[in-house]
Amino acid sequence: MLDPTLLRNAPEQVAAALARRGVILDTSALRALDARRKTLQSELEAARNARNEVSREIGLARKRGADTGDLQAAASALGDRIKEMEAALAAVLEAWEEWTVALPNMPLESVPDGTSGADNVVLRHWGTPPGFSFPARDHVDIGEALGILDFAAGARLAGARFVVLRGMGARLERALIQFMLDLHTSQHGYSEISPPFLANRQSLFGTGQLPKFEEDLFALRDDPYYLIPTAEVPLTNLLRGDIIDTQPQRFCAYTPCFRREAGAYGRDTRGMIRQHQFDKVELVQIVAPEDSAAALETLTGHAEQVLQGLELPYRVVALCAGDLGFSAAKTYDLEVWLPGQNQYREISSCSNFGSFQARRLQLRYRNSEGKPQLVHTLNGSALAVGRTLVALLENHQREDGRVAIPVALRPYLGGVDVLGG
C-alpha cells in the first residue's frame, strides 16, 4: 500500500511514478475525494461540538427548572445530522480505501523504463549454454523416457497442468529441495520455517495478492482460507502487526504452491513450466529501510548460488517499470537456459517491496531513536523446484538418454552421478 500522506500531499509525484508502470492516476479525482473527506471531518467535528454545547445547556436549564423542549429538539436534530455525516464520511473513506489499495507500488528510480518484458535489461550472464552434438530434447521427452515424469497420470488424477513424479523423479525433487534449504540455512543465515499451506484473507491482503489477484487463487469453498500461491505469504506475515527490535530477519521455507494461472490460458501447456501445483523454496528478508537496496543484491546472490551449484547457465535481468509485479518496487529475474526451448526462462524473481507490504501488514521496527518505523520487505524464489528440475534434465542430458547429476547434488541422492543407469 502506498503512503497515504504522500498520496494526499503530493499526488502528482505519485502519478508520475505510476505512469512509468503504465498506470494512470486521476489526481483531480483523488484531490476532490480527499477534499470531501476534509470537509466532512470538519463539519462532523463542528456538529459534535455543537451537540456537546446543547447537552451542556440542557443540563444547566434543568438545574434552573427551565423548559428544555427546544434544546432537546435541537440536540435530536444535531444527532440525526451527525449520523448522516458519519455515514457520508464512512463512504468516502471506503472509496479512498478501495481506490488506493488497487494502486501498485512505485518503481524505484534505478528501475529501467519500459512497458513490457521486451524492455527488460540483461545485467549479466553466468555459465555457457551447452553445445550438444545431438538434437536437444526437452524435459518431457527426457523424463518420460526415463520413467520419472508421468503427465498422463497427473491428468488422470487431477487434470491439465499436473504431473506425477515417479521413482528417481520424486527422489530428485526431494534432493533439490534439501540442497536448497541446506544452502540457505547453513551458508546464508536464513531461519527455516515450516508454515501452513493455507492462508487467511488478511495474510493475502498483507502481501498484496488480495484483492487484485483473487481470480488466480484457489479458495476453499466453505471456509475463509486460500491455498498459498507462494511461501512469501506466510513468511512475510509471520511478524504481521509486530514492532520488532532486531534487524535483519531472514526466513526460508519449502512449500507447495497453488495457482490457477488464470491469465495464462494456452501458455506453456506442455510439461512442467506452468502448473497449478508446484514446489518452491522461498526466501524472505525483513530489513531497515536504509538496508533494503543492498539486501536485494544479497538475496539475488543467494538464489544465484543455487544455480551455480547445480551448474546451470543463467542470466540476471532487471525488470523494467512496466513489467514489475504489483507489490514490487524493484525486481531482478533469474532466467535459466533451457535447451529444449532454446531460450532463457524465468526461474526466480527477487524483489524489493520497500514499505508497500509493511504498511498493509503494520510491520515495524524501532529505529535508532526508539521510534516505530515501517520496515522494508524482500523476497525471492531460491528456487522454483519444478523449473530447476526441468533445467537440470535439459542442460545435463546425454545423447544416450541419461542425465548427469551435478556434483553438489550427488550427496543428496546417495552418490548417484547419473540418471538412467
Side-chain angles (χ1 to χ4, degrees):
M1 186 183 301
L2 297 177
D3 183 352
T5 302
L6 187 62
L7 273 170
R8 290 183 173 116
N9 296 338
E12 287 79 11
Q13 178 184 338
V14 177
L18 294 183
R20 297 182 61 204
R21 301 183 59 131
V23 175
I24 304 303
L25 177 62
D26 188 339
T27 56
S28 296
L30 189 69
R31 285 188 181 279
L33 186 63
D34 195 46
R36 176 64 174 156
R37 173 191 64 83
K38 291 178 181 178
T39 298
L40 284 170
Q41 287 178 332
S42 177
E43 291 176 351
L44 183 57
E45 182 179 2
R48 286 170 174 165
N49 289 337
R51 183 177 61 180
N52 291 340
E53 178 60 25
V54 171
S55 295
R56 188 185 69 83
E57 292 178 4
I58 290 173
L60 293 174
R62 284 175 175 168
K63 287 181 179 180
R64 297 193 307 269
D67 180 65
T68 61
D70 291 344
L71 289 173
Q72 288 178 330
S76 178
L78 282 169
D80 292 340
R81 176 59 178 155
I82 287 170
K83 289 180 180 178
E84 292 175 359
M85 286 189 290
E86 287 175 338
L89 179 60
V92 167
L93 293 176
E94 182 179 356
W96 176 276
E97 178 78 4
E98 290 179 357
W99 193 351
T100 55
V101 299
L103 294 174
N105 204 352
M106 297 188 297
L108 296 176
E109 291 183 4
S110 57
V111 171
D113 288 327
T115 59
S116 70
D119 300 312
N120 294 341
V121 177
V122 177
L123 300 178
R124 59 184 178 273
H125 290 78
W126 186 91
T128 302
F132 298 120
S133 60
F134 55 90
R137 294 176 296 168
D138 71 4
H139 67 283
V140 177
D141 290 339
I142 297 169
E144 289 184 335
L146 290 171
I148 63 173
L149 301 182
D150 191 338
F151 294 96
R156 184 165 58 251
L157 294 174
R161 298 186 189 269
F162 291 92
V163 65
V164 170
L165 277 65
R166 294 183 179 274
M168 283 300 296
R171 190 175 175 188
L172 179 59
E173 179 184 57
R174 178 159 48 90
L176 286 169
I177 293 167
Q178 192 64 55
F179 167 67
M180 295 176 195
L181 288 174
D182 284 352
L183 177 66
H184 298 313
T185 55
S186 66
Q187 297 188 30
H188 300 153
Y190 290 85
S191 176
E192 183 177 351
I193 303 294
S194 181
F197 301 158
L198 297 176
N200 57 31
R201 191 172 187 88
Q202 187 177 3
S203 295
L204 288 152
F205 174 82
T207 46
Q209 280 78 17
L210 289 178
K212 184 174 177 61
F213 299 107
E214 185 155 11
E215 69 172 9
D216 204 34
L217 301 172
F218 285 103
L220 274 64
R221 178 177 298 174
D222 299 318
D223 295 292
Y225 300 112
Y226 297 81
L227 297 176
I228 59 170
T230 166
E232 169 197 350
V233 176
L235 291 182
T236 312
N237 274 274
L238 279 174
L239 301 173
R240 183 179 71 213
D242 287 352
I243 299 177
I244 58 179
D245 295 318
T246 56
Q247 295 291 329
Q249 303 274 342
R250 291 182 176 182
F251 303 120
C252 72
Y254 151 72
T255 66
C257 306
F258 306 89
R259 298 181 189 174
R260 290 185 180 277
E261 297 292 354
Y265 183 78
R267 295 175 57 194
D268 295 314
T269 55
R270 178 176 169 84
M272 295 177 62
I273 295 298
R274 194 178 298 275
Q275 296 201 300
H276 291 310
Q277 176 183 324
F278 57 97
D279 293 323
K280 277 204 302 176
V281 171
E282 194 78 2
L283 306 179
V284 163
Q285 291 196 27
I286 299 171
V287 303
E290 62 270 20
D291 297 330
S292 67
L296 178 60
E297 305 299 325
T298 300
L299 186 149
T300 304
H302 294 161
E304 288 185 72
Q305 286 185 42
V306 178
L307 290 167
Q308 292 170 12
L310 297 175
E311 304 168 36
L312 296 173
Y314 68 90
R315 66 184 185 182
V316 181
V317 178
L319 298 196
C320 70
D323 202 32
L324 288 175
F326 177 78
S327 300
K330 183 173 184 176
T331 297
Y332 295 134
D333 271 5
L334 304 185
E335 297 180 346
V336 69
W337 177 255
L338 296 183
Q341 297 187 12
N342 197 38
Q343 62 177 324
Y344 287 97
R345 294 297 303 270
E346 177 207 335
I347 197 169
S348 171
S349 283
C350 300
S351 299
N352 182 356
F353 303 106
S355 60
F356 189 85
Q357 291 180 330
R359 185 168 287 106
R360 288 172 171 242
L361 297 163
Q362 280 302 292
L363 175 52
R364 295 164 292 170
Y365 80 110
R366 296 192 184 278
N367 61 19
S368 58
E369 299 175 352
K371 296 180 180 179
Q373 182 178 351
L374 291 170
V375 300
H376 281 192
T377 62
L378 305 95
N379 89 277
S381 301
L383 298 167
V385 179
R387 292 194 180 192
T388 306
L389 191 151
V390 167
L392 190 151
L393 294 179
E394 293 191 8
N395 281 279
H396 297 308
Q397 63 180 292
R398 294 178 176 176
E399 187 172 7
D400 61 6
R402 297 188 298 167
V403 176
I405 299 298
V407 173
L409 199 61
R410 293 174 188 173
Y412 297 92
L413 290 167
V416 172
D417 60 0
V418 65
L419 295 182

